[in-house]
Amino acid sequence: MRAAYATRPREQVSAVLRREKRYLSAAEIHAILRKSRANVSLSTVYRTLDLLAGKGEASARVDERGEATFVVCDQSHHHHAVCNTCGKVEDVSCEAIESVANALRSHHGFKLADHEMEFFGTCGACR
Amino acid sequence: MRAAYATRPREQVSAVLRREKRYLSAAEIHAILRKSRANVSLSTVYRTLDLLAGKGEASARVDERGEATFVVCDQSHHHHAVCNTCGKVEDVSCEAIESVANALRSHHGFKLADHEMEFFGTCGACR
DNA sequence: ATGATTTTGCAAACCATTCGCAAATTAGGG
DNA sequence: CCCTAATTTGCGAATGGTTTGCAAAATCAT
């Protein structure tokens, strides 16, 4: 059966994501770890991110420059509100989707199965 | 001032997108063009896609494998309903966003500035 | 502790995308 | 039309984020 070793490098990568709460690329995480003298290889950062994303503990996003970035998040279905100022990401539930599903079916004959949403704006702390 | 030449290669790339109406990568477009004996270089396909995306005539999306894909679409603000069966993409307006904006502000203290949504399901033709 | 199994690190391999540059194409005025 | 200036194309080479192979190191169960 598959892996599951609780290793130091993995915990360190995970800790950075939990502390920062914003979208970070593998390279950024690697740089942050180096500063705190935690020498985790870039490969391990990538592998750990894939692992977390696979378990649903982190979600991925491709930024404007084409780099993959990750945040820790709920495992249940939800969406993200990203602050344009500080970058912090908050989990948001989606109640309003019902009305959208109805509109899609009646106006487009489209049967909704899944959806993705992302919000951008200013968080409470930055206002 | 900037470019604007109406060239054959650009028209051919654009025509493929208008005909297919689904997310296509540069490589896929290049392959389709080769089959119809239209020899447009891969570089030109990439450059034309950037151009169309810049003008808002096409919108980009990164697929599961990490490749950039494009569709032609309205220039006004809207969202996409992607059919899981045939891949066709329909433009969808968003009326329901008002209630979401209100919920974000009252529950999270978050001031919504922009948003992205994408829908997946089964289109009318495939049902 | 001990051995089986999983991870890590490093460097090399990948591969989609970008770039440099000379040749080809386009737009427009004369 | 014809010519020139400006833009675009194609090619191959360079880029750069991400993946991979493999031997050494770490982890877990016994």
Side-chain angles (χ1 to χ4, degrees), chain B residues 5-7 43 46-47 50 67-68:
Chain B
Y5 286 16
T7 67
S43 301
Y46 273 109
R47 287 186 282 229
D50 284 350
E67 285 184 72

Side-chain angles (χ1 to χ4, degrees), chain B residues 1-45:
Chain B
M1 42 210 89
R2 267 294 300 295
Y5 286 16
T7 67
R8 194 131 186 289
R10 283 180 183 170
E11 171 52 32
Q12 291 173 312
V13 169
S14 182
V16 169
L17 284 175
R18 285 196 305 272
R19 185 186 330 129
E20 300 284 338
K21 287 192 193 332
R22 58 194 174 91
Y23 279 104
L24 293 172
S25 69
E28 287 173 318
I29 294 171
H30 186 240
I32 290 174
L33 287 173
R34 294 203 112 215
K35 267 190 203 140
S36 55
R37 297 199 227 359
N39 289 319
V40 178
S41 76
L42 186 53
S43 301
T44 295
V45 174

Side-chain angles (χ1 to χ4, degrees), chain A residues 81-88 90 119-127, chain B residues 101 104-105 108-114:
Chain A
V82 184
C83 179
N84 287 332
T85 303
C86 68
K88 287 276 191 303
E90 288 179 68
F119 305 106
F120 304 92
T122 314
C123 74
C126 287
R127 285 173 64 193
Chain B
L104 276 173
R105 184 187 286 264
H108 300 267
F110 192 93
K111 184 183 179 190
L112 188 62
D114 197 10

Side-chain angles (χ1 to χ4, degrees), chain A residues 1 3 5 10 41 44 47:
Chain A
M1 37 210 95
Y5 286 15
R10 282 180 185 170
S41 75
T44 295
R47 285 186 283 230

